[in-house]
């Protein structure tokens, strides 16, 4: 089956530093990847849609200068949390849809990254 | 606005059957997904319904009524490993996924 690898799974960083999270589709290509944030006992919140070779599309209320997204190839998207603060602590999950799949094909998720900012 | 409702938490007994309901109001409809999410892990795909009726897949079945904006996930022969959150998500007219908050299912021996 389609596999999405997300790294790191856990990261602890100090306030003011930046953290990069990688999302790779291992056995398929994806022109579009999605970055979600999830708070405890809450729904997945779409942060942005990452588009290969072009700028990401950010959801309302998500600061694009704080959450930098780069989708440099058909198998890799990165999310960089810049100048992290404790309120950025959360569970971040990426997902991707197979380039050759239909628009209604299921998303494949990475295993998520637990970010803790101290 | 777009809205998906599902119960926050349900409890069931090992070996029993449980039905998790989901109602939705969205701008258009291109299908409904159910995902399973264990604590601290990413969601995994369970089922997809786009036509009315029941889709059966082993111990799990999913039902859809588009006219009622309603779906349910039916889990049979419950096992302890089924303890997880179950997320309902609807694909709207723009093929954007709208997520419910998830139902935490607790299985007791």
């Amino acid at each position: 089956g389609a596999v999405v690898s997300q790294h790191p799974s856990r990261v602890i960083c100090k306030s003011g530093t930046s953290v990069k999270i990688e999302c790779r589709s291992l056995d398929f290509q994806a022109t579009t990847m999605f970055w979600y944030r999830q708070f405890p006992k809450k729904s997945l919140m779409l942060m942005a849609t990452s588009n290969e070779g072009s700028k990401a599309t950010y959801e309302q209320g998500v600061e694009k200068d704080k959450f930098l997204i780069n989708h440099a190839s058909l198998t890799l998207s990165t999310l960089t949390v810049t100048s992290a603060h404790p309120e950025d602590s959360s569970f971040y999950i990426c997902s991707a849809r197979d380039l050759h799949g239909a628009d209604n094909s299921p998303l494949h998720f990475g295993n998520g990254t637990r970010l803790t900012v101290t | 606005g777009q809205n998906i409702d599902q119960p926050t938490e349900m409890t069931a007994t090992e070996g029993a059957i449980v039905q998790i309901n989901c109602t939705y109001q969205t701008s258009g409809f291109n299908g409904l997904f159910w995902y399973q999410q264990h604590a601290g892990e990413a969601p995994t795909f369970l089922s997809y319904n786009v036509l009315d009726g029941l889709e059966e897949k082993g111990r799990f079945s999913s039902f859809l009524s588009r006219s009622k904006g309603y779906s349910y996930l039916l889990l049979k022969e419950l096992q302890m490993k089924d303890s997880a959150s179950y997320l309902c998500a609807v694909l709207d007219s723009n093929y954007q996924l709208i997520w419910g908050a998830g139902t935490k299912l607790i299985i007791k021996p």
Side-chain angles (χ1 to χ4, degrees):
Chain A
V3 177
V4 174
S5 173
Q6 186 174 342
H7 181 80
S9 57
R10 289 181 180 273
V11 58
I12 300 172
C13 70
K14 292 187 176 179
S15 194
T17 61
S18 295
V19 173
K20 180 186 280 189
I21 303 170
E22 289 190 350
C23 181
R24 292 180 185 274
S25 56
L26 297 186
D27 49 2
F28 66 98
Q29 293 179 320
T31 52
T32 304
M33 292 187 178
F34 302 91
W35 287 96
Y36 289 90
R37 184 173 178 176
Q38 189 174 31
F39 293 100
K41 300 182 180 180
K42 296 292 184 183
S43 179
L44 293 169
M45 184 192 81
L46 180 65
M47 298 175 64
T49 301
S50 171
N51 304 298
E52 187 267 337
S54 64
K55 292 182 179 180
T57 305
Y58 289 82
E59 296 300 303
Q60 195 171 8
V62 178
E63 299 175 60
K64 60 182 180 182
D65 294 330
K66 179 164 185 64
F67 298 99
L68 299 179
I69 290 173
N70 183 274
H71 194 153
S73 76
L74 289 173
T75 58
L76 174 64
S77 176
T78 61
L79 168 68
T80 302
V81 183
T82 62
S83 187
H85 289 103
E87 56 264 31
D88 298 326
S89 298
S90 192
F91 191 53
Y92 293 86
I93 310 175
C94 73
S95 68
R97 183 176 283 124
D98 191 325
L99 165 65
H100 301 292
D103 287 340
N104 61 355
S105 57
L107 292 179
H108 305 289
F109 286 85
N111 281 330
T113 297
R114 174 73 59 192
L115 171 64
T116 303
V117 184
T118 60
Chain B
Q2 310 208 85
N3 193 50
I4 299 197
D5 286 315
Q6 47 181 134
T8 305
E9 188 174 296
M10 298 182 71
T11 302
T13 305
E14 190 177 13
I17 299 173
V18 72
Q19 177 175 311
I20 303 174
N21 296 325
C22 170
T23 57
Y24 62 89
Q25 293 171 307
T26 55
S27 321
F29 179 83
N30 279 301
L32 184 144
F33 292 88
W34 283 97
Y35 281 84
Q36 180 191 61
Q37 185 178 25
H38 285 99
E41 299 180 10
T44 55
F45 169 74
L46 289 178
S47 67
Y48 170 72
N49 294 66
V50 67
L51 299 176
D52 289 352
L54 186 69
E55 295 272 347
E56 297 187 73
K57 196 184 289 186
R59 294 190 297 115
F60 293 5
S61 303
S62 56
F63 171 85
L64 175 68
S65 169
R66 289 171 297 172
S67 62
K68 295 181 180 177
Y70 167 70
S71 171
Y72 67 72
L73 181 69
L74 190 72
L75 293 77
K76 302 177 185 176
E77 300 168 19
L78 286 169
Q79 302 175 10
M80 298 303 292
K81 67 178 182 180
D82 297 331
S83 293
S85 287
Y86 291 85
L87 307 175
C88 172
V90 172
L91 211 50
D92 71 8
S93 57
N94 294 320
Y95 288 93
Q96 278 227 350
L97 265 180
I98 312 300
W99 293 87
T103 298
K104 183 179 180 181
L105 177 63
I106 299 168
I107 310 295
K108 295 185 174 179

